[in-house]
Amino acid sequence: MNEPQSEAFFEEQRQLMVDEQIAARGIRDERVLAAMRQVPRHRFVPDFVLEQAYDDGPLPIGWDQTISQPYIVAYMTEILNIRAGDRVLEVGTGSGYQCAVLAELTAEVFSIEMVEPLYIAARERLRTLGYRNIHFRHGDGSRGWPEAAPFDKIIVTAAAGHVPAPLIEQLAEGGRLIVPVGQFSQTLMLGEKQHGIFQTSETIPVRFVPLVEGKEKKQRGQD
């Protein structure tokens, strides 16, 4: 049986991840790089893939969901151009890793997760790690979080067939939205709202799990 690795080992692996997988591929935003260096990715993966926490790829987190490849997390975060005072909506909390990166960059993050066990686990994990600027909700993220809108930035971490209309409505003037779109072939779409008009552009091909949309029911908020 392998001995558990030390925090120093994971720290070294994290720095190598940022240097070799992220900065070397063109991510230049120093705030994003610093956030990726800070957030302990190994605290967001199941024990059975702990040794692979800083590998260059997605990992399973249960319930047919994954934690995204580190480079994709950094890329999506950088392209959003998050400022310190932004209100950010995340659709798909998952393990909470992307959420932690966002929380390193801005004062207030609102995160929604449809899969209840993931919602509960991520909420407790992020609180244990000391994040106090995240609001959590269990529910259908495709409907957004109307009472907290508008949002300066919106990030969707699962693939949709189209950009959900409620998210466009809840995006602030001048805001940005990033979402994977497609089924068998997916593209990361960047949307921007200028003068009330929402326009999108394609960025890079990606592969995400499908966005889970639920039946009409009351969503549960938890700050």
Side-chain angles (χ1 to χ4, degrees):
M1 184 174 179
N2 292 336
E3 295 261 342
Q5 298 290 358
S6 68
E7 286 299 315
F9 169 82
F10 287 122
E11 169 72 20
E12 180 181 0
Q13 292 298 302
R14 187 159 65 254
Q15 303 313 314
L16 286 172
M17 175 194 78
V18 176
D19 291 341
E20 298 176 0
Q21 301 176 32
I22 298 172
R25 287 180 179 157
I27 301 299
R28 293 288 178 263
D29 188 320
E30 290 295 336
R31 295 179 66 238
V32 173
L33 293 174
M36 299 295 292
R37 293 186 191 280
Q38 178 66 27
V39 178
R41 192 171 190 259
H42 64 282
R43 298 288 295 274
F44 294 85
V45 301
D47 288 344
F48 72 91
V49 290
L50 188 60
E51 297 291 326
Q52 303 164 54
Y54 294 99
D55 285 1
D56 185 18
L59 294 170
I61 58 172
W63 293 274
D64 296 321
Q65 304 298 302
T66 61
I67 180 173
S68 294
Q69 177 188 19
Y71 170 74
I72 293 297
V73 172
Y75 179 87
M76 292 176 74
T77 305
E78 181 177 62
I79 203 170
L80 277 178
N81 190 27
I82 297 171
R83 300 180 178 88
D86 283 347
R87 289 163 56 83
V88 179
L89 174 65
E90 177 191 40
V91 175
T93 314
S95 70
Y97 179 63
Q98 172 74 80
C99 191
V101 172
L102 298 171
E104 291 283 338
L105 297 172
T106 192
E108 203 166 19
V109 179
F110 297 78
S111 189
I112 309 173
E113 174 56 52
M114 184 66 179
V115 181
E116 188 168 18
L118 290 178
Y119 153 75
I120 293 170
R123 181 184 63 183
E124 296 310 310
R125 181 180 297 118
L126 288 160
R127 286 177 171 173
T128 298
L129 289 171
Y131 291 98
R132 297 291 180 265
N133 59 335
I134 304 170
H135 307 279
F136 302 94
R137 167 168 282 183
H138 169 233
D140 184 351
S142 69
R143 300 180 187 138
W145 199 320
E147 63 270 31
F151 300 100
D152 301 293
K153 307 290 163 58
I154 298 177
I155 181 170
V156 183
T157 62
H162 58 276
V163 183
L167 301 185
I168 298 173
E169 293 168 6
Q170 293 170 35
L171 186 65
E173 175 66 24
R176 286 189 170 193
L177 183 157
I178 190 83
V179 55
V181 175
Q183 185 176 6
F184 301 109
S185 176
Q186 299 172 8
T187 301
L188 202 57
M189 305 291 292
L190 174 65
E192 297 186 75
K193 185 182 282 187
Q194 298 289 344
H195 307 294
I197 299 172
F198 183 74
Q199 294 185 316
T200 62
S201 58
E202 296 184 357
T203 61
I204 60 174
V206 289
R207 173 64 66 186
F208 278 81
V209 297
L211 180 65
V212 179
E213 299 184 36
K215 297 178 181 178
E216 285 294 336
K217 61 183 177 181
K218 185 177 180 181
Q219 294 180 317
R220 298 192 310 183
Q222 179 73 47
D223 287 343

